Amino acid sequence: MTRLLILLAMMLGFTAPARADDISAAARGVVRVVTIAVVDDEVVGFGHGSGFAVAPNRIVTNAHVVELAARYPENVVVGVVPSEGDKSYQGKVIAIDTARDLALIEFTGVKLAPLAVYGGSVEEGGSVTALGYPGNVDLATARSSADYIRPLSPIRTEGVFSGRRTMSDVQVLLHTAGIARGNSGGPLLDACGRVVGVNSALTRGEEGDANFGFAIADVELVTFLRAAGQPFTAAASTCTSIAEQLRQDSDADARATADAQKAQQEAAGRAERERAAALVAAGDAAQRTRENIIALAAVLLVAGALALAGAGFLELRAQRTAAIWVAIVGALGLVAALAVFLMRPSGTPMLPVVTATSAAAVSSDAGMGKLVCTVVPARSRITVSSTADVALDWGDGGCMNGRTQYAENGRKWDRILVPGEEQTVSVLQFDPATRIYTNTRYLLSGAQMDSARKIRSQVKLKACSPDIAARANLSTQQAAIRSALPPLPNERIVYSCSAAR
């Protein structure tokens, strides 16, 4: 019975929802940095610290972690051990600043997920998290030296930001997140998983004194990276809860939909009012035309009668020839009067049929051509992604950029992208009615990405297709991918699109 309960607990553990929190996402780019000193083919020294990716193949760490490798590159080997996978990789120091205690390592063999550097202010008392590989944990758990080069997830400790200080003319952040030897070079993160500092030292508590950690401040890190010519992802937006942001965005989406419907109703109302006004004007014009025609018929009738009377007068005066011609003219006048009267307009106005383009809703199946989409900061939560404009080409039947087929989702269109290398699943959505384009991003672990890629391999529709059945099948397959994703994403980038010039 006990074994059965254990088995059930293991099964439940395997089927628990995957996590996609910001700290776990940042942990994908955290590494252990190992240095091995070799003299005459013998290992004479060993050291290790932590680091984090600022580019897929570039690592930031403390200068004191790799100082010997920078000084004696022929005798000291630098190893980079990712938090995931089954391999470690050799790196080399390409930039070092001993005054700021920062160094940059380059390596090849795998692409890591870079962390973003937060350039905004951190409030005192705000939550911070340290990620790294504390040596006291290694001493307690490592069974051999091989354990130091085996990929393991970094240790997470939490605390609060206690203020800024200056040490040897370098700005540092004072915090209470627990760190130890081995955390050196690891990132200090805000609640959104963005780097606010690089852990480098700690105080020693004596006789009950509290322990504090010191991290090289973000301004020093940015200065170092720029001096090294190393591009990096910078973030400046305020850290907000993804759950709260999703709720606010849902409300904004509902308002945008209501505004679009209101605009359509107002357009229809304007068209109806314009038609009513045109109908009144046309009625007045038709009535005036009818009255003018009747007046013309009366004039012709009077003229004809007068002509006939004149003909009679000429006949009395024995002017027969003239009387005959005048009588003919009078008869023609009477005939014309009768004809004009009978052909008079009814006075009912005639209007052309109103086309549906002015009042009808936007067709969700119709193309819009080239669009330029700009980020809406108030509706977005961005931690590591770019905020640059996105160019789209929306074609008929949900064809994006002439090559990517989207699937119907009510009045909107969805497509889930599962890349082969990047550890990010993107749920893309476009709403033709409001011209809102959304990119919801899940920053996942390697195991989670493998699971998503297996489901993605079942999706056969690669290019755009007018086949409605194929698009319906795509929608079903994407629902399977969506069900495997964590309950909450890491980022939600909302764009407002307009016609490209």
Side-chain angles (χ1 to χ4, degrees), residues 100 102 117-119 195 198 216-230 232-235:
R100 291 188 171 86
L102 294 172
V117 179
Y118 179 56
V195 178
V198 183
I216 307 300
D218 54 315
V219 291
E220 305 288 358
L221 173 61
V222 168
T223 301
F224 167 71
L225 291 175
R226 288 175 176 167
Q230 176 58 53
F232 60 94
T233 301

Side-chain angles (χ1 to χ4, degrees), residues 36-42 44-45 68-69 71-77:
I36 303 174
V38 180
V39 176
D40 296 331
D41 296 330
E42 290 187 8
V44 297
L68 286 178
R71 189 179 302 175
Y72 307 105
E74 301 297 327
N75 298 97
V76 181
V77 177

Side-chain angles (χ1 to χ4, degrees), residues 228-255:
Q230 176 58 53
F232 60 94
T233 301
S237 59
T238 302
C239 182
T240 58
S241 162
I242 184 62
E244 177 63 18
Q245 189 64 50
L246 288 174
R247 186 192 65 77
Q248 294 178 2
D249 188 56
S250 177
D251 294 342
D253 186 55
R255 288 193 298 270

Side-chain angles (χ1 to χ4, degrees), residues 133-406:
Y133 296 90
N136 51 5
V137 174
D138 292 326
L139 289 175
T141 59
R143 290 170 295 180
S144 68
S145 59
D147 288 335
Y148 287 90
I149 57 173
R150 183 178 296 113
L152 289 172
S153 59
I155 302 299
R156 174 193 308 203
T157 57
E158 298 179 350
V160 297
F161 170 58
S162 303
R164 291 180 179 265
R165 296 291 187 272
T166 300
M167 292 177 57
S168 303
D169 296 326
V170 175
Q171 287 193 45
V172 296
L173 307 182
L174 187 65
H175 64 88
T176 63
I179 59 174
R181 292 188 180 90
N183 277 105
S184 294
L188 184 68
L189 309 172
D190 68 359
C192 283
R194 303 172 299 188
V195 178
V196 296
V198 183
N199 287 312
S200 62
L202 69 157
T203 62
R204 291 185 178 182
E206 297 180 358
E207 297 181 359
D209 291 342
N211 291 323
F212 289 92
F214 292 97
I216 307 300
D218 54 315
V219 291
E220 305 288 358
L221 173 61
V222 168
T223 301
F224 167 71
L225 291 175
R226 288 175 176 167
Q230 176 58 53
F232 60 94
T233 301
S237 59
T238 302
C239 182
T240 58
S241 162
I242 184 62
E244 177 63 18
Q245 189 64 50
L246 288 174
R247 186 192 65 77
Q248 294 178 2
D249 188 56
S250 177
D251 294 342
D253 186 55
R255 288 193 298 270
T257 302
D259 290 343
Q261 293 174 347
K262 182 180 179 181
Q264 292 165 8
Q265 292 171 355
E266 290 177 349
R270 284 195 301 270
E272 186 61 31
R273 291 191 296 272
E274 291 170 359
R275 178 176 174 81
L279 185 62
V280 171
D284 293 341
Q287 187 62 35
R288 287 194 299 270
T289 302
R290 174 183 171 85
E291 293 172 354
N292 291 337
I293 295 297
I294 293 175
L296 177 62
V299 170
L300 290 174
L301 178 62
V302 171
L306 290 175
L308 289 176
F313 177 75
L314 291 173
E315 179 65 27
L316 293 175
R317 298 189 63 176
Q319 297 179 7
R320 178 171 291 277
T321 302
I324 292 173
W325 284 107
V326 173
I328 291 173
V329 171
L332 290 175
L334 293 176
V335 171
L338 179 62
V340 170
F341 181 78
L342 293 177
M343 296 178 64
R344 69 190 185 280
S346 65
T348 302
M350 298 295 293
L351 291 178
V353 177
V354 178
T355 58
T357 56
S358 62
V362 176
S363 171
S364 63
D365 198 57
M368 293 184 173
K370 297 183 181 298
L371 304 170
V372 175
C373 303
T374 304
V375 171
V376 183
R379 296 186 58 182
S380 302
R381 184 187 194 257
I382 306 173
T383 57
V384 296
S385 296
S386 169
T387 58
D389 290 351
V390 174
L392 303 179
D393 188 351
W394 186 251
D396 294 339
C399 181
M400 179 69 81
N401 298 330
R403 61 180 182 273
T404 305
Q405 180 63 57
Y406 279 49

